[in-house]
Amino acid sequence: MKNTIAERVADFLKDYPPFQFLSSSSLLKISGEVQVLYYEKDKAIFKEGEKNTGIFYVVKDGAVRLSRTEENEPKIVDICDEGDLFGLRPLITKEDYELSASANEETILYGIPIDLFLPIALEHKEVSNFLIASFASNVQDPYSLEESGKLFTEYSVERNSEIFDLQKAKYSKNILTCTPETLIKVAASKMSHRNVGSIIVTEDNKPRGIITNKDLRDKIATGAFDITDPVTQIMTRPVRCFHKDPTVAQAQLIMLKNDISHLCITEDGTPDSNLLGLITEHDIVVSFANNPVVLMKEVKLAKRTKRLRNVRLKVSQLLKKYLAQNLPLSQILNILNEVNYAITVRVIELSLQKMEVSPPCKFAWLALGSQGRKEQLLLTDQDHAIVFENVAPEDYEATQTYFIKLARHITRSLHKIGYDYCPADMMASNPRWCQSLQEWKNQYDIWIKDPTPESQLLSAIFFDYSYVYGDTELVTRLSDNILDTLDQNNMFYRVMAKDAIRSPSPLGFFRQFLVEEDGEHKDFFDIKSRALMPLIDAARVLSLHHKLRNINNTAARFERLAEIETNNKEIYESCSYAFKALLKFRTRQGILHGDSGRFIELATLSKAEKLKLKRCFKPIQDIQEILTVRYQLK
């Protein structure tokens, strides 16, 4: 006799990984033992620290929010939609739950018995690999768990895979130290005896300096100092420090950025707290080409645009791998944006070398649009500007001409690397976007005090800028002026908010996708204008209203807003999650089709993908309602 319930469960599970890797018989065997569970909104499924129930979960209908306690407050870690797995810790490590899970809305779950599923998972490499990758993207140290035998031993991803760049860097706790009064020859003898290349100079267990083999070579062997001098004469200070538990990528990027080979680990990440350990360049020697730090080194060594183009192509490959491993988007953005910014900085440096003379005054290069928000994953067109120091009126034209010429070198090089020219010419090579600090102040004053349809369009680009190269003080002074002007013209917030809610709705009355009605992309869904831009625009106006500085990323803006406006915390956190999910979806589509991922052919999506997209649309309605009420837009 057929088990129709089991067949229905199997019919659902077969469309989702890792169950899609199972044979029909294995899937039906599992489905026959699945528990069908119903939870009302906000009902707890399991709690942090709770003993595992012997099952893990798949969302059948509804959504589940996962959270952990931070400073006695629950912080949302993720939202699980239809087909998503959660509660994997008991399956992978046999341990109890480290997160809390509760229904985000009315929800039906499939509870899958671990004892039944585990032997089947271990027989299928694709299944165990998927489960480990899913689990590893949400745990602190999957490498250590694997080493201790708590993870599936059959997990076949190599240990030098990029996923481990995002895990904790191992550091030495057995550090060689000396006091400031120690003689150089004594310190050198200690280094020789321990066969190490460095010694930390400490005072009350706080790092005050560091001596390396390089210091002994350059400062002692050359006769610059005597071996009977105290170590303070040759030590490097201040010591570069970082708080405990840096990721491999973070440690490597800090070393490269500061041109150092040793990084001290202290309690609070500063030289004023106790020394805990030391990371050396040798500790984190990279063993594969697409490591982000290797790419950063390639960028620094690049003498020609062609080499930078090759790096950017490798970045695209790295992006594909990170997405395939289902790593959190925020981590992907953090790492890839560091490399992208480094490429731009190197282009500027090489372009300056092409100029016949040095810059006539201080200047700063600003990234605008998606790069300014640090949300650029796929290659897009260029959006940037230059702000230069105020000069005498008689010198203005010559100064501007110099920087326009520099900008043309830069834009040409970026184009060769793969960044298209901006069709609207919003680039620093356009005199309108290459101005002195005072002219930029005047420009923003006009946009804010006398808004027009054009200024509203430009505001969506020029209010999302970030510093890339040059003098930071110019950027700080520009930001100060913008916030001061906004303080005196609160009506501009209303103008921005009104523009933010004008974005076309993603869904129609009957919850169908609203697609383009004509043109080149007829019947395609525009994920940028209908889903991403409403969230980007809302985050911008609310962030400006709260005078948030140095937070340009849309998801990060919503997360900061959730801390400020606790009454709207749930909505803001949902917006942050929805934005990251939508951006990840667009990026996957762009890679799949070799384009920007903006226009999506709905017929190519599975039912599950369409449902996940629709779940990301609800926060758009919620945030637009907040704008409507707050700025009295009705």
Side-chain angles (χ1 to χ4, degrees):
M1 182 177 176
K2 286 187 176 182
N3 185 338
T4 55
I5 295 178
E7 288 181 347
R8 261 183 267 160
V9 172
D11 191 55
F12 173 83
L13 293 178
K14 68 179 175 58
D15 291 332
Y16 298 95
F19 306 102
Q20 65 189 44
F21 304 125
L22 297 175
S23 64
S24 298
S25 58
S26 294
L27 186 57
L28 199 58
K29 181 180 178 181
I30 292 169
S31 300
E33 301 298 325
V34 161
Q35 300 177 32
V36 182
L37 308 166
Y38 169 78
Y39 291 87
E40 295 180 348
K41 182 179 180 181
D42 296 327
K43 180 73 173 177
I45 300 162
F46 55 77
K47 295 182 179 179
E48 195 173 337
E50 192 172 278
K51 186 173 177 59
N52 80 75
T53 57
I55 60 175
F56 69 98
Y57 302 89
V58 180
V59 180
K60 168 62 171 69
D61 291 306
V64 171
R65 64 177 178 268
L66 303 178
S67 61
R68 67 162 49 93
T69 303
E70 293 185 6
E71 297 179 354
N72 297 321
E73 289 289 330
K75 180 175 178 59
I76 294 178
V77 174
D78 202 357
I79 303 287
C80 298
D81 295 317
E82 181 175 310
D84 285 343
L85 282 68
F86 68 97
L88 290 173
R89 178 169 286 275
L91 171 65
I92 307 295
T93 68
K94 314 299 185 192
E95 297 173 355
D96 298 329
Y97 299 113
E98 281 203 350
L99 299 176
S100 296
S102 55
N104 207 46
E105 54 190 79
E106 280 191 299
T107 299
I108 295 175
L109 304 176
Y110 288 156
I112 301 178
I114 290 173
D115 291 341
L116 172 65
F117 183 79
L118 185 58
I120 297 173
L122 292 175
E123 290 174 5
H124 296 78
K125 185 171 69 175
E126 298 94 337
V127 175
S128 54
N129 278 359
F130 174 84
L131 291 170
I132 293 292
S134 298
F135 178 72
S137 66
N138 288 305
V139 299
Q140 292 181 327
D141 193 0
Y143 183 85
S144 296
L145 288 172
E146 185 178 9
E147 287 291 282
S148 66
K150 291 183 178 180
L151 291 182
F152 289 141
T153 55
E154 285 77 7
Y155 183 38
S156 64
V157 173
E158 296 180 9
R159 289 196 177 106
N160 66 354
S161 169
E162 289 87 349
I163 191 170
F164 294 112
D165 288 348
L166 305 179
Q167 311 311 324
K168 294 178 188 175
K170 293 187 175 182
Y171 56 86
S172 173
K173 296 179 182 178
N174 185 19
I175 319 156
L176 183 62
T177 64
C178 68
T179 64
E181 296 78 23
T182 304
L183 301 183
I184 295 170
K185 66 177 183 179
V186 175
S189 295
K190 287 186 174 184
M191 290 168 63
S192 177
H193 179 71
R194 283 274 297 270
N195 194 27
V196 295
S198 63
I199 186 169
I200 308 297
V201 181
T202 61
E203 192 172 25
D204 297 329
N205 199 33
K206 297 176 177 59
R208 296 295 179 240
I210 182 171
I211 296 174
T212 65
N213 285 335
K214 183 175 181 293
D215 293 313
L216 296 176
R217 182 193 68 205
D218 295 347
K219 299 173 184 177
I220 300 300
T222 59
F225 294 91
D226 194 272
I227 60 172
T228 57
D229 288 337
V231 290
T232 50
Q233 291 293 309
I234 66 167
M235 71 182 188
T236 299
R237 71 182 103 183
V239 185
R240 290 290 175 181
C241 300
F242 199 84
H243 56 74
K244 60 182 179 179
D245 301 335
T247 65
V248 172
Q250 283 175 324
Q252 290 173 315
L253 290 171
I254 292 168
M255 288 182 182
L256 184 62
K257 185 176 182 180
N258 295 285
D259 194 25
I260 57 175
S261 57
H262 298 73
L263 183 65
C264 285
I265 303 301
T266 60
E267 287 180 347
D268 67 2
T270 74
D272 298 320
S273 61
N274 288 333
L275 180 66
L276 301 178
L278 181 70
I279 299 177
T280 69
E281 196 170 39
H282 177 73
D283 294 331
I284 49 175
V285 169
V286 291
S287 57
F288 49 95
N290 272 6
N291 179 281
V293 177
V294 172
L295 298 181
M296 289 280 277
K297 288 182 177 178
E298 282 194 54
V299 170
K300 284 204 166 189
L301 295 172
K303 302 295 183 184
R304 300 180 61 189
T305 303
K306 183 178 180 181
R307 188 168 182 181
L308 291 174
R309 176 174 173 79
N310 290 336
V311 173
R312 190 57 186 81
L313 291 173
K314 290 178 182 178
V315 170
S316 298
Q317 295 301 315
L318 192 59
L319 171 61
K320 290 178 184 178
K321 290 184 178 182
Y322 283 165
L323 289 174
Q325 292 167 339
N326 202 30
L327 298 181
L329 186 75
S330 56
Q331 293 182 341
I332 297 175
L333 283 170
N334 286 342
I335 290 178
L336 297 195
N337 275 309
E338 285 286 347
V339 182
N340 287 332
Y341 267 66
I343 289 173
T344 303
V345 167
R346 189 59 183 147
V347 166
I348 296 170
E349 290 172 345
L350 293 175
S351 298
L352 281 166
Q353 292 174 16
K354 295 176 184 177
M355 301 295 287
E356 296 173 358
V357 294
S358 300
C361 63
K362 294 178 182 178
F363 76 100
W365 182 274
L366 303 178
L368 309 172
S370 62
Q371 190 180 18
R373 292 191 301 273
K374 300 184 179 179
E375 295 165 358
Q376 188 184 68
L377 292 174
L378 300 170
L379 285 170
T380 59
D381 59 344
Q382 302 179 42
D383 292 306
H384 40 66
I386 283 179
V387 52
F388 55 84
E389 201 173 19
N390 295 329
V391 295
E394 61 270 20
D395 297 329
Y396 189 90
E397 184 177 348
T399 303
Q400 187 185 48
T401 299
Y402 175 92
F403 287 115
I404 289 173
K405 183 178 179 181
L406 171 63
R408 286 173 180 159
H409 283 304
I410 295 168
T411 53
R412 278 197 295 269
S413 294
L414 290 173
H415 182 69
K416 290 178 182 177
I417 290 169
Y419 296 96
D420 288 338
Y421 293 120
C422 176
D425 201 19
M426 292 181 185
M427 300 183 293
S429 51
N430 181 341
R432 190 176 178 188
W433 314 129
C434 178
Q435 303 184 95
S436 69
L437 175 61
Q438 187 56 53
E439 289 301 312
W440 273 113
K441 287 180 177 180
N442 295 340
Q443 179 66 80
Y444 277 96
D445 286 352
I446 291 170
W447 286 339
I448 294 170
K449 294 175 182 177
D450 186 23
T452 63
E454 184 198 25
S455 71
Q456 292 175 50
L457 174 65
L458 294 174
S459 295
I461 297 173
F462 285 89
F463 276 88
D464 289 338
Y465 63 76
S466 61
Y467 164 84
V468 176
Y469 181 90
D471 186 73
T472 57
E473 180 62 23
L474 290 170
V475 184
T476 301
R477 288 163 64 187
L478 179 60
S479 298
D480 288 342
N481 182 79
I482 291 170
L483 294 176
D484 288 345
T485 306
L486 284 169
D487 256 351
Q488 302 163 28
N489 296 270
N490 286 330
M491 282 301 295
F492 186 68
Y493 296 126
R494 189 170 187 271
V495 172
M496 294 183 76
K498 193 171 183 180
D499 195 53
I501 67 169
R502 279 188 185 145
S503 301
S505 173
L507 297 176
F509 183 77
F510 297 105
R511 288 188 56 76
Q512 79 279 16
F513 285 91
L514 293 179
V515 297
E516 301 302 290
E517 296 181 354
D518 49 35
E520 179 186 356
H521 300 288
K522 186 178 186 295
D523 296 329
F524 280 63
F525 178 72
D526 184 350
I527 192 172
K528 177 182 177 181
S529 65
R530 293 186 181 272
L532 289 165
M533 288 311 301
L535 294 170
I536 291 169
D537 292 342
R540 181 188 304 112
V541 63
L542 291 168
S543 296
L544 285 171
H545 200 140
H546 283 288
K547 297 181 175 56
L548 301 187
R549 286 177 174 269
N550 303 318
I551 305 178
N552 287 5
N553 177 268
T554 301
R557 280 172 165 172
F558 279 123
E559 287 161 12
R560 182 72 182 97
L561 288 166
E563 296 173 3
I564 296 171
E565 297 183 25
T566 53
N567 55 317
N568 290 318
K569 179 180 180 181
E570 188 174 335
I571 292 176
Y572 291 144
E573 288 179 338
S574 295
C575 286
S576 176
Y577 165 77
F579 178 80
K580 287 185 282 191
L582 288 165
L583 183 58
K584 201 170 192 178
F585 189 89
R586 177 184 175 177
T587 303
R588 290 185 190 276
Q589 288 291 309
I591 290 174
L592 182 64
H593 299 291
D595 57 22
S596 70
R598 174 174 179 174
F599 294 97
I600 297 171
E601 186 177 6
L602 294 173
T604 64
L605 302 184
S606 66
K607 180 182 177 183
E609 287 173 324
K610 291 178 184 177
L611 285 171
K612 285 192 175 186
L613 268 182
K614 286 183 178 180
R615 291 198 184 281
C616 292
F617 297 158
K618 186 178 185 303
I620 297 174
Q621 180 183 347
D622 293 337
I623 196 65
Q624 290 187 337
E625 183 62 27
I626 286 178
L627 296 181
T628 300
V629 173
R630 180 165 303 178
Y631 299 105
Q632 302 175 11
L633 302 182
K634 287 185 178 180

